[in-house]
Amino acid sequence: TTTTTTTTTVTVTPHCQSNCIWNSTANCDEDGHSGFTAKSNHNCGETTCFFRSGYCDCNGNKKWDAGDENTTEEPKYSCEHNNKYYLGGQTAWKANKGQVTTKNFKKPPVLCNDRCGNFNCTYTFYTNENCKEEVITEPDYKTVTLYPKGCHNATCQYRSGGKKNGPEDYDFDFEEKIKTGEFRATTNLIVRGWGSYFELDRTYKSVEFNGYGNCAFFLYEKMFFQGQLGHFRGYLNEKAGHPWNAKSKTNTLCRNINLTYFNGKTGSLETNDTCWENSYRKNQTSGPRDGA
């Protein structure tokens, strides 16, 4: 008797483009008809200031590409489209017994690595321990992440909502989608790939890694990378005794953050990505190839 064994190898191609940049345009013109400016040009791992115009030069060829049957149109923004708030959650003035109130739901800032699909590592930050989602119904001027109905992870959330940039697209109506139940609003923050967040407006208590390769990030107590610093890695070495790690369930990819170490708050964040490792871990204590 002869037995034939066939082995299938699946190769994962890393989504890494080191020359990706944010290219700023002048006079709030997303198409650059008014020219370009070196002001605020930066790499795709830095968050873009709200109300700035420009485009994500995903392939780094120094021009905006409209895309074709094989490539995706590069994301571009006027000052208006790079709005700080979701449509429907923009300022709505209302007199209330002599007081003026506003109604705002803040969007995550534009991060070109995310918008270009230029990432492998994904980090989802939660305001609750054990990566438990917190749903928000009342505006609080802080960052809100939207998920489509039935979706509970960063994969199905990505570019959802029928818009090219997902629910962060300018003409995605926040209130309309929330009222119909198509989407729910959360206090989560999803960071994909390399990312520098100079100012966090929420305090996060836990983070979920997507298990890819050697993902890691630096978390700071204060804004602009100041105060207590913790270096969180996707692989958890409990014997190291790092003070920024809180007790976590090692059979998951969720890491609890020791807020006592950070004096009760999280202020800024730097995430990394990995291009050389193409395998996944199933939990925090397995190596990346153990989880493949």
Side-chain angles (χ1 to χ4, degrees), residues 31-199:
D31 293 311
H33 296 129
S34 301
F36 296 86
T37 173
K39 182 180 179 181
S40 300
N41 283 2
H42 53 70
N43 66 50
C44 288
E46 292 183 29
T47 52
T48 301
C49 294
F50 291 109
F51 307 110
R52 291 268 171 84
S53 63
Y55 66 92
C56 295
D57 186 4
C58 301
N59 57 16
N61 65 354
K62 305 294 191 300
K63 64 178 183 178
W64 177 77
D65 294 315
D68 52 33
E69 65 274 8
N70 298 315
T71 58
T72 304
E73 175 185 302
E74 291 181 324
K76 59 181 179 178
Y77 304 87
S78 65
C79 296
E80 182 181 31
H81 290 170
N82 189 13
N83 200 314
K84 195 172 187 176
Y85 301 103
Y86 290 100
L87 184 67
Q90 296 175 15
T91 303
W93 299 97
K94 180 180 179 181
N96 182 17
K97 296 182 179 180
Q99 296 181 344
V100 176
T101 60
T102 59
K103 187 176 186 179
N104 288 302
F105 295 88
K106 186 179 174 184
K107 296 191 298 185
V110 170
L111 187 72
C112 286
N113 277 335
D114 181 313
R115 303 300 169 88
C116 291
N118 183 35
F119 61 88
N120 291 310
C121 297
T122 299
Y123 312 85
T124 304
F125 292 85
Y126 297 83
T127 53
N128 288 325
E129 295 178 348
N130 299 313
C131 299
K132 299 297 183 183
E133 179 182 283
E134 181 180 351
V135 176
I136 184 171
T137 57
E138 294 298 324
D140 62 358
Y141 295 91
K142 296 180 181 180
T143 303
V144 170
T145 295
L146 304 182
Y147 290 79
K149 184 178 181 179
C151 172
H152 294 276
N153 59 62
T155 302
C156 55
Q157 190 275 345
Y158 188 55
R159 293 177 178 171
S160 56
K163 304 294 182 181
K164 61 184 178 181
N165 290 318
E168 290 81 31
D169 207 277
Y170 172 71
D171 57 355
F172 181 96
D173 194 304
F174 181 99
E175 287 188 331
E176 175 187 321
K177 299 295 185 181
I178 296 298
K179 286 179 179 178
T180 60
E182 292 182 56
F183 278 76
R184 69 184 185 284
T186 74
T187 59
N188 297 355
L189 173 66
I190 300 175
V191 183
R192 297 178 172 93
W194 280 290
S196 297
Y197 283 70
F198 302 92
E199 301 175 82

Side-chain angles (χ1 to χ4, degrees), residues 214-234:
N214 287 345
C215 301
F217 64 89
F218 292 97
L219 185 64
Y220 299 81
E221 169 196 354
K222 301 178 181 179
M223 296 180 178
F224 300 102
F225 318 119
Q226 301 295 316
Q228 292 283 57
L229 163 65
H231 186 197
F232 293 81
R233 299 177 184 273

